[in-house]
Amino acid sequence: MTTTQQEIRPSAAAKPARWAADAVAAMREGARIRLDYSAQSLWRVDRFIDELRREGTPYAAAQTVLRGFGAYAGEVIVRQTGAEWWATGGDHWVRTPDGRLWDPVDEARRCFAGDGSLRLLCRDATAGSAPR
């Protein structure tokens, strides 16, 4: 019997996985940008967030998009390292196999504020989780 990815994922992954999928669909349909859950695709996401900031997009208007981008970055980390989503008090975190916790949704907000990078978060999160 085979088990699908969705069947074995913890329930904490349900919302972020959906937010990430929504962000992928929105970028494909609205901006004609393809996101493939690779670390390289986070360059495009960082640039898009930077563009939103430079255009003066109000935070309230970007909030849902930022949540989706953060969840997307989290999914990239999960898929590359075997990490898991954890949820506490409405916040969603990624726990990498080495026990470290990451907050990609907050990192997307920091990126919008001009002080963060989803690409660098992914680099840091995946660096310590490589097989030794």
Side-chain angles (χ1 to χ4, degrees), residues 2-68:
T2 60
T3 305
T4 66
Q5 176 89 358
Q6 193 62 34
E7 289 171 342
I8 60 171
R9 297 196 63 188
S11 62
K15 283 184 181 179
R18 185 177 68 243
W19 297 334
D22 289 348
V24 168
M27 290 297 285
R28 182 182 61 243
E29 295 163 13
R32 300 279 188 250
I33 296 173
R34 185 173 178 273
L35 300 177
D36 60 3
Y37 292 95
S38 68
Q40 294 79 15
S41 69
L42 292 173
W43 282 92
R44 291 187 289 270
V45 174
D46 276 349
R47 280 197 308 262
F48 193 85
I49 293 171
D50 189 49
E51 191 175 308
L52 289 174
R53 183 181 67 253
R54 282 188 281 115
E55 290 173 353
T57 305
Y59 176 76
Q63 189 172 3
T64 300
V65 171
L66 295 172
R67 181 185 69 187

Side-chain angles (χ1 to χ4, degrees), residues 90-106:
D91 292 328
H92 290 79
W93 301 75
V94 171
R95 183 174 184 266
T96 48
D98 60 11
R100 294 180 297 166
L101 290 172
W102 305 89
D103 189 346
V105 174
D106 187 58

Side-chain angles (χ1 to χ4, degrees), residues 46 53 107-120:
D46 276 349
R53 183 181 67 253
E107 188 68 17
R109 293 183 196 115
R110 291 182 57 220
C111 193
F112 184 72
D115 186 36
S117 168
L118 294 172
R119 177 185 59 83
L120 295 177

